[in-house]
Amino acid sequence: MAKYLAQIIVMGAQVVGRAFARALQQEYAASQAAAKARSRAGQQSAAASSITGMSLQEAQQILNVSTLSPEEIQKSYEHLFKVNDKSVGGSLYLQSKVVRAKERLDEELSIQSQDTQPSEKNTET
């Protein structure tokens, strides 16, 4: 009787161990895929920073926006562009910084929209 009980316990432990190992492998694969996706988006964002010569944080500070909302970016851009117009005593340098900041934020929005589109396609299937 004790022999059978020991065999049942050993078999149960083996089954649970295999299931745990399989779940661990799946979780590891999922985390690796997520890391690759973040890396790809990070590389695109870094490339955009290199092209525009401005980091995302710098662009957000210039336009005084905390979230990447197209409406908020446009509203802030229009206000700062008008305020820094040379005809009203503004600075062409500051106006160009505002333009570059908007370009950088628009580029980041397009990168983010590209990243969300493939994941939406995967959920539809």
Side-chain angles (χ1 to χ4, degrees):
M1 183 63 138
K3 179 181 176 184
Y4 294 122
L5 185 58
Q7 285 178 343
I8 291 172
I9 291 172
V10 168
M11 285 181 161
Q14 287 176 345
V15 169
V16 169
R18 284 188 205 125
F20 180 74
R22 197 173 306 127
L24 194 60
Q25 287 174 342
Q26 289 174 350
E27 185 61 33
Y28 180 74
S31 70
Q32 291 297 318
K36 282 183 183 177
R38 282 192 306 269
S39 173
R40 188 171 42 251
Q43 288 172 350
Q44 289 176 336
S45 184
S49 292
S50 173
I51 291 169
T52 60
M54 183 179 295
S55 71
L56 177 61
Q57 291 77 18
E58 183 181 1
Q60 286 179 313
Q61 286 177 343
I62 289 170
L63 290 181
N64 195 25
V65 293
S66 55
T67 59
L68 292 180
S69 158
E71 297 82 22
E72 184 180 355
I73 292 169
Q74 185 65 30
K75 181 180 174 187
S76 181
Y77 165 75
E78 288 173 356
H79 170 72
L80 290 171
F81 191 83
K82 287 177 191 174
V83 168
N84 289 303
D85 192 9
K86 192 156 176 107
S87 64
V88 293
S91 165
L92 183 61
Y93 173 76
L94 291 177
Q95 198 175 35
S96 69
K97 284 297 244 184
V98 169
V99 171
R100 296 295 169 252
K102 180 166 185 322
E103 288 175 351
R104 175 64 180 94
L105 293 178
D106 288 343
E107 183 67 27
E108 189 67 28
L109 286 172
S110 71
I111 290 170
Q112 286 182 358
S113 68
Q114 289 172 359
D115 288 343
T116 58
Q117 288 174 354
S119 64
E120 291 172 355
K121 290 178 184 175
N122 290 340
T123 57
E124 291 175 2
T125 57

